[in-house]
Amino acid sequence: MIKINDLCFSWKTTPVINISNLHIQTGKHLFIEGPSGSGKSTLLSLLAGVLTPNSGGIEVLKQPLTSLSSSQKDSFRADHIGFIFQQFNLIPYLSVIDNITLPCSFSTIRKQKAITRSGDLKSEAVRLLKALGLTGEDIFQRNVNELSVGQQQRVAAARAMLGSPEIIIADEPTSALDSAHRDAFISTLFNECDKENITLIFVSHDSSLKKHFNHHINLGAINNIKQEQQ
Amino acid sequence: MAIFSLAFKSLLNRKFTFLITLFSIAISVALILGVQTLKDETKTSFMKSISGTDLIVGARGASSQLLLSSVFHIGNTTNTIKYDSYKEISQLPVVEWAVPISLGDSHKGYTVMATELSFFDHFSYANKQSLSVQSGEISDDMFAVIIGSDVAKKLNYKVGDNVVMTHGGGEIDGHDHDNIPYFISAILTSSFTAIDQTLIISLEAMEAMHTEHNDFHSALPSEQSTRTDTQQDDGHKHEQHDHDAHNNHDTHNDHAAHNDHDDHDDHDEHAAHNDHDDHNDHDAHDEHAAHNEHNEHNDHDAHNDHNDHDAHNDHAAHNDHNDHDAHHDHHDHADHADHAHQHNDTPEQRIARLLQIKPENINAVFIGLTSRQAVLGVQNYVNNYKNEPLTAIMPAVALQELWAFFAIAEVALDIVTVFVVLVGLLGMLSIILMSLNERRREMAILRSVGARPGHIFALIIGEAAAVCFSGIVMGIALLYGLLFALQAPLANHFGFYLDINFLNLNDLWVLATIQISALIIAIIPGVLIYKTSLSDGMNIKF
Ligand SMILES: Nc1ncnc2c1ncn2[C@@H]1O[C@H](COP(=O)(O)OP(=O)(O)OP(=O)(O)O)[C@@H](O)[C@H]1O
Ligand SMILES: [Mg+2]
C-alpha cells in the first residue's frame, strides 16, 4: 500500500533522505525510529505529499504521488491521510469539535464517510472522542487551550481518524505525555486503527514503544545518507 | 467559504491587534471621506454664494477680482465705476433689474455694504433663495442698517441697537464715522453666504459718511447755534452760503465737486457759480441775503428771538426746495427726512437727510436680465462701454473659474489623505506580517488536514479583506457620527452649512479602491506564507 523506490530528497543542497526500497502493507502498524535529524519528519512529509522528492517514486494506495500535481496531492492528503503531531496539534481559535471536523472542510470524501457513519459531523466527532476516552459535554465546548496535553493529543487523534482515512501518520505524538498517558493513548489509537483497518505510521525516539508495534524501521539503518550532524 | 470562516475566527482570536488595525483603517477612511465631503460641501456652498444674478458689472479688471469683491467682499474695493454708468446700464431695455453696491467701510471687521432697498428683492443665493429677515424689518430709513446673522450673533446685536461704521477695513484706529450712527432695523436669517458677515446700509448714508458736511451746519433748522458758535472764520461762513445756494442745484456732481474742496479760499469762483445759476433759481439771491443776515447774527454774542425766527423761516423754505429736488432726481428715499428717527439725528445726519446725495462712484452692479439670451449682448455692451472701462462677469462662470484656482489645494489635500489611508493599510500589513511567525504552526496544521497553499494564501487575504471591510464600515459610521456632531457647531461658529448626504459615487469608488488596495497589500504576507508552507513541509517549528 505504500511503496518507496530509490527515494532521494535534499533540503536545498543537503541530502537528507536516500531510501532504496520500503514497502508497508495495509493495516500494518509501523514504528519508525531514528536519531534526531535523521530525516524522520522529512520522510513523513514526503509520504504525505507535502514535499516532493528529488528523484525516485512514492506510491501511496496504488497512487504514484510523483504523477500528481501539488493541488492533487493536497486533496489526496485531505482524503486519505490523517496527521498527528508531537504537540500543539490544535488550532487555538477553533472549538474542540471544530478542530476535529476541520479535515471535512478540505475533503468531501471524509465528510461523506463521517456523515454515513454517525448521521452528522458533530456526533461522529463525539463518537470518536468517546472512543478515545474523552467524555463530558463540557470538554467539547471548552477552548482547546484549556485541555491537558494528553487530552489535546486525543483530540488530535480524533481529528486524524475522522472520516476514516486509509493512513494515519503520527510524528512523535506521545513525546509530550507521561508514560501512563502514553500507554493509554497508544492502546486507544491502536484499537481505533484496528477497527477501521487504518495503516498507522508512527515515528518516535522512544524505543520502549517499539514492543506495541508489529513492524519497526530504524531510519538510520535504511537511510543511505551518512549523518554528519549529531 | 470554509477558509473565510476560518479567517474570521482567526481574527476574533486576535481581537486586540485586530481592533487596532480596524481603528487605524476606520480613522483613515473617515478622514478621506470627510475631506471629500468637506471639499464637496465647500464647493457647493461656494457655488451657492450667488444665484439669479445674470451679470455683475464692475471696473475693468480680472473677473475673479470683481467676483471676490462684489460677492465675497474680499479684497480690493478701490476700483469703482460711475454711478451714472449704473444708471445708463440699468436703463437698457433687457435689464430687468440692476442693484448698485458700494463697499469700503467696515464695522468691527465685518464688511459694510451700501446698496438700495431693491437689493433685498433681487439678490438671491443657492437655488434662487432670497434673503429673509430673522427679526425686525427692513426699514427704508436712511440710517437704518440691516445686519447679517453672524454679525448679530458674534457681536450680540439686537434690532434697535446703534452702530457706528469704520472707515476702510478698520486697520487704522480712530477712523470711525461716529458722527453718523446707524440703528439696526433688521437681522437677516443665515444664508451661509458672505451676507451673513455683512452690514447693509443705504447708498446715501454711505455717501454721507464720506463727505465732509461741516460746511452745511448752518443750514440746519435748529441746534446750529452751538455749532456755528465754534466757527470763527468769516470767509468760511461765506462759503457756507455758497454751498447752501448750491443745494438748489439739480446735479450731484456739482455738490461732490464742491465737497471735495476742503478749503474754498477762492471766493470769487463761488460767487461766479452763484451768478451762473441764477437763472435756475431766482430765490437763491434772497436766501443768500437771508443767510448773510443770519451770519451776522451769529457773530453777535446775544441771540435774539426775532433773528432766530427769521432764520427758521429761511431754512424752512430751503428745506422745501431740497425735498423738491430730491423728488425730481431720485425717486426713492425722498421722504427719509421725515422719518421718525430724525429727532435723534446728529447734525451730520440731518444734513445728509436734507441732501440725499447718491454716491458718485459705486463698486459694482448686480444685474438681472429679462432673458438669458441677452446675457452675452449686455456683457459685450458693458465690456465696450463708451464712458469708462467696465467689466461684466457672469457669476456662475466666474465662480467656476475662481474655484479652479483652488484645484491645487484640493490636489494637495487629496495627496495627504491618500497617504493617511496608505499608512492605515501599512499598519494592517505590519500587523499581519507580525502574526505570520506565530501562526506557522496553525498553517502547518491546516496543511496537514489537506489545505492547499492557496487556501493558506486565501486565509491571509481573507483576513486582510475582513479587517479592511470592517474598517471601512466603521469609518463610515465614524464619518456620519462626526458629520452629525459637527453640523450645528460648523453652522453656528463658522457660518458653514454642512449638508449631510449619502455617500456619492465618488466616495464609493474611493472605498472600493481602499478595499482593493488592502487585498493587493495582503498579497505580500500571502506570498510569504505560501512559500513557507511549501518549503517547511509539515514540520512544526517551535
Ligand atoms: N525546512 C527545512 N529547511 C532546511 N533543512 C531542513 C528543514 N527541515 C529539516 N531540515 C533538515 O533536514 C534534516 C532532517 O530533519 P527532520 O526534521 O526530518 O529530522 P527528524 O528525524 O524528524 O528529527 P527529530 O527527531 O529531531 O524530529 C535535519 O538535518 C534538518 O536540519
Ligand atoms: Mg521530527
Side-chain angles (χ1 to χ4, degrees), chain B residues 113-319:
Chain B
M113 180 177 89
T115 183
E116 287 179 349
L117 279 179
S118 58
F119 177 80
F120 297 99
D121 301 328
H122 300 307
F123 180 84
S124 58
Y125 62 97
N127 301 317
K128 303 211 170 152
Q129 279 166 267
S130 293
L131 294 168
S132 60
V133 169
Q134 151 189 330
S135 66
E137 76 187 77
I138 294 171
S139 162
D140 62 355
D141 189 271
M142 190 169 165
F143 297 106
V145 58
I146 293 128
I147 65 172
S149 60
D150 284 358
V151 180
K153 201 182 298 166
K154 290 277 164 57
L155 301 178
N156 206 13
Y157 283 161
K158 296 176 299 296
V159 170
D161 286 355
N162 284 312
V163 293
V164 167
M165 308 310 174
T166 308
H167 189 69
E171 308 87 0
I172 311 155
D173 284 346
H175 278 240
D176 289 352
H177 299 293
D178 42 13
N179 49 0
I180 299 188
Y182 293 78
F183 72 96
I184 296 170
S185 77
I187 296 169
L188 296 172
T189 42
S190 203
S191 61
F192 300 105
T193 65
I195 299 294
D196 287 353
Q197 288 106 40
T198 303
L199 297 93
I200 301 172
I201 60 171
S202 65
L203 283 172
E204 294 84 351
M206 168 80 88
E207 180 61 15
M209 285 194 292
H210 294 102
T211 316
E212 288 298 320
H213 282 314
N214 291 334
D215 297 348
F216 293 93
H217 281 294
S218 64
L220 289 175
S222 57
E223 307 137 29
Q224 82 273 37
S225 51
T226 49
R227 291 300 289 214
T228 44
D229 279 348
T230 61
Q231 300 181 345
Q232 268 101 38
D233 185 3
D234 229 45
H236 211 298
K237 278 160 207 155
H238 276 289
E239 286 158 32
Q240 288 168 28
H241 292 291
D242 292 337
H243 277 291
D244 282 349
H246 276 289
N247 270 344
N248 293 332
H249 285 206
D250 284 341
T251 57
H252 312 281
N253 289 346
D254 286 354
H255 279 290
H258 281 286
N259 290 336
D260 285 344
H261 292 284
D262 276 342
D263 43 346
H264 304 274
D265 23 28
D266 195 347
H267 215 296
D268 292 339
E269 196 185 298
H270 284 283
H273 238 302
N274 262 341
D275 289 340
H276 194 70
D277 292 323
D278 274 349
H279 64 280
N280 286 340
D281 196 337
H282 61 84
D283 290 340
H285 270 299
D286 299 339
E287 276 173 27
H288 193 84
H291 276 294
N292 272 333
E293 227 179 279
H294 176 67
N295 273 307
E296 264 148 35
H297 286 298
N298 285 337
D299 286 342
H300 293 291
D301 284 323
H303 283 273
N304 88 39
D305 289 359
H306 184 70
N307 286 329
D308 270 346
H309 186 69
D310 280 355
H312 272 293
N313 284 343
D314 251 335
H315 283 290
H318 216 23
N319 212 350

Side-chain angles (χ1 to χ4, degrees), chain A residues 105-126:
Chain A
S105 301
F106 303 98
S107 167
T108 40
I109 293 178
R110 281 172 75 178
K111 190 176 180 175
Q112 271 321 118
K113 280 191 195 165
I115 289 172
T116 31
R117 181 84 186 248
S118 294
D120 66 89
L121 291 179
K122 196 191 164 185
S123 30
E124 172 66 359
V126 171

Side-chain angles (χ1 to χ4, degrees), chain B residues 54 93-96 368-376 378:
Chain B
D54 293 313
V94 287
V95 171
E96 192 180 317
L369 301 175
T370 49
S371 80
R372 280 209 122 304
Q373 283 91 327
V375 172
L376 287 176
V378 175

Side-chain angles (χ1 to χ4, degrees), chain B residues 4 7 12 20 58 82 92 165 185 190 219 225 265 287 310 344 349 401 422 456 464 466 487:
Chain B
F4 284 102
L12 285 186
I20 288 173
K82 290 202 180 70
L92 291 175
M165 308 310 174
S185 77
S190 203
S225 51
D265 23 28
E287 276 173 27
D310 280 355
N344 291 326
Q349 283 177 311
E401 283 173 5
L422 210 61
I456 309 284
Q487 194 177 34

Side-chain angles (χ1 to χ4, degrees), chain A residues 9-12 14-17 34-44 51 86 171-172 203-205 219 227 229-230, chain B residues 440 532 535-537 539 541:
Chain A
F9 180 82
S10 326
W11 283 113
K12 309 229 164 68
T14 331
V16 177
I17 300 283
S36 182
S38 57
K40 303 182 294 294
S41 301
T42 308
L43 177 63
L44 296 185
L51 296 177
Q86 177 184 358
D171 193 354
E172 305 182 39
V203 166
S204 182
H205 293 291
L219 193 62
Q227 291 300 311
Q229 315 103 299
Q230 283 150 336
Chain B
R440 281 171 94 157
T532 46
S535 67
D536 272 6
N539 280 346
K541 304 265 164 67

